[in-house]
Amino acid sequence: MSIPRHFANQLARSFTKLMGGEASAGILLIIVAMLALIVANTGWAYGYHELFHHELAWTPISKLDSLHLWINDALMAVFFFVVGLEIKREILDGELSNAAKRRLPVLAAAAGMVMPALIYLMTTGTKPPLAHGWAIPAATDIAFAVGVLALLGKRVPASLRLFLLTVAIVDDLGAVMIIAVFYTKIDAGTLYWGIGALLFLAGLILANRRGVHHLWVFLILGFGLWYCILNSGIHATIAGVIFAFTIPLRPLYHGDSMLLRLEHALVPWNSYVIVPLFGFANAGVALGGIGLAGLSDPIPLGVALGLFLGKQIGIFAAIVISDRIGFAPRPAGASWVQLWGTSVLCGIGFTMSLFIGALAFPRYPHLVEEAKLGVLLGSLLSSLLGYAILRMAKTPQAEQPD
């Protein structure tokens, strides 16, 4: 029996085909970042700021009274929902479901988060408020990094792409945990909203356990979960991940699963609408207020060095040590130079780093702007060097064995 083609899935597949695959998602983010910088540093800067930050004349949700908040708290909840779906699928039925296969990516991702944070703190010091940004360079942008990798085509073995994807997924899980633990403030006055969120979560878990296959049931309960968390003091995007973990992966009566159907339908919209819109709304840093001399300030320098140096040092060192001591072998068919280049690409932190930067300095807008500058610089350097290394690296067939 063939699986029926649902309209949303058909539209998503057509959108992906139209946009040209993985490379186009990374290219689109580059274009969006450049446009945001241009607009923020020209005569359009005032209009750009007003568009995203001016209070809306009317909003159905009082907490979201600007377009910027709708993007960061509502659309990005969808982004985190898709990330959560990918993480759940990988843990239950992917590369992270096998203990032997997940050893190296998990260790590499952990080292690739710790080292950037340490470099950031060594650059900025440990005193607040600067120290609050320690997690900004700890994240890897999947779409950007995989997009650059896709531009290289067959020069890069499939094992490296799989390794990069797995590291980035573990990285995203770590970033979500960091946001939940370190960048969430719960107000005692919003306790009732927290109780409401728990009730909606219980409903989602019950629907999963009872085998409910009606998507609308999950969507209604998921919206209730998001709305309660939005008002509880916990960052609303966490609701996206929690909601995703309750979506069933088991096959439905017609062969596919609710999780796979949702993931296939939403990934293109995530890559080509939500993330670019978030990037355009958040990457526009006014360089005139900082200047080139500002690149040497603690936050831009710490973020840029954390992404550019910390990521590659942490991840590549984890690969080398794991391989040498027999803890986990390096990806098959990949040379050490290619592994170094891939480690450098993990220093592209665009989406998640910009998001954490906004959370790290809520009362210091100028520090958020400095963090943006560091993210853009570190991501640019990582993408250029990573691409150059992988472009010039010998193919596995041409390389002599160790």
Side-chain angles (χ1 to χ4, degrees), residues 326-349:
F327 178 74
R330 59 174 167 152
S335 69
W336 285 112
V337 175
Q338 288 175 321
L339 285 167
W340 174 38
T342 304
S343 301
V344 175
L345 283 185
C346 289
I348 302 174

Side-chain angles (χ1 to χ4, degrees), residues 45-56 66-68 280:
Y46 178 79
Y48 170 83
H49 185 272
E50 285 292 296
L51 173 65
F52 291 112
H53 297 279
H54 185 71
E55 185 173 338
L56 296 172
S66 70
L67 184 57
H68 188 265
F280 185 69

